[in-house]
Amino acid sequence: MYRQILVCPEDRKLQHIFWRADPSQPIVEYQLNTVTYGINTSVYQAIRTIQQLRQDKGPCFPLAAASLVNSIYVDDFVDSANSIEEARLLRTQLIGLFERGGFEISKWSSNATELLSHPDDPQRPYSIPQDDSLFVKILGLVWCPTDDYFSFSVKEPVRSATKRVILSHIARTFDPLGFLSPIIFHVKTLLQEMWRQGPRYVFTAHSRSQLIGFSDATSRGYAAAVYIRVLTPKGSLTLSY
């Protein structure tokens, strides 16, 4: 998506990189002409370009322009229709609208197979096999197009269920629609209870441990950190903080 968006010529001088494929080669300076990965403004530039495309060319594709207001997230578009005919028209208009901006829409999926097999479609949408094991990831959700249901893929902790591990799993659970709120609520209450318990086990018996503290302060603030260094009888060394 980024590579299809040109940056204004007067701003490209701010996108210079140095590169060489091998240390034996001389360093070459390049100027990047398109939206670049890794820059804080890149996502805004891409989304703003789509909004401008909708404003400029949207009157020719009214159904697609209306859907773009709430149904697009960066380079993913997710929407529904009341009928096959409406969905087909929406798809046709989306292809036409994005073509005006130099974007090629690809990787279509739908729970209606008749929307995925149009030989006259220049974009050639791929067909979803009738296989229950095939799922499509959509904005953190896992969607099964054959049976049209959503699910989540959550891995069990491979380490001890410490406060840090539980908090990490909560943060990685992306649930923008709140489907998992009743479940995450119980996990958060478990985390609160763990904090109320106070102590935590950080070393085993017969281990040598050191408590290391560091602190510093200025007129504008202060900070402190405490580490526990544990040396087990087998010679393994761990640090907890």
Side-chain angles (χ1 to χ4, degrees), residues 70 78 138-141 150 152 173-182:
N70 298 314
V78 183
I138 302 176
L139 306 182
L141 294 174
F150 293 107
F152 287 83
T173 304
F174 184 66
D175 182 26
L177 299 179
F179 289 158
L180 296 182
S181 296

Side-chain angles (χ1 to χ4, degrees), residues 37 97 100 102 104 113 118 121 135 137 171 178 187 198 204 218 231 235:
Y37 293 99
L97 175 58
R100 298 293 182 91
E104 180 178 343
T113 56
H118 272 269
D121 192 336
F135 297 94
K137 292 184 178 180
V187 181
T204 60
T218 69
L231 181 64

Side-chain angles (χ1 to χ4, degrees), residues 184-205:
I184 295 178
F185 169 79
H186 291 287
V187 181
K188 290 182 177 180
T189 56
L190 174 62
L191 184 63
Q192 290 178 341
E193 184 61 29
M194 293 178 67
W195 278 107
R196 293 192 186 100
Q197 295 298 323
R200 72 178 189 180
Y201 189 74
V202 293
F203 56 92
T204 60

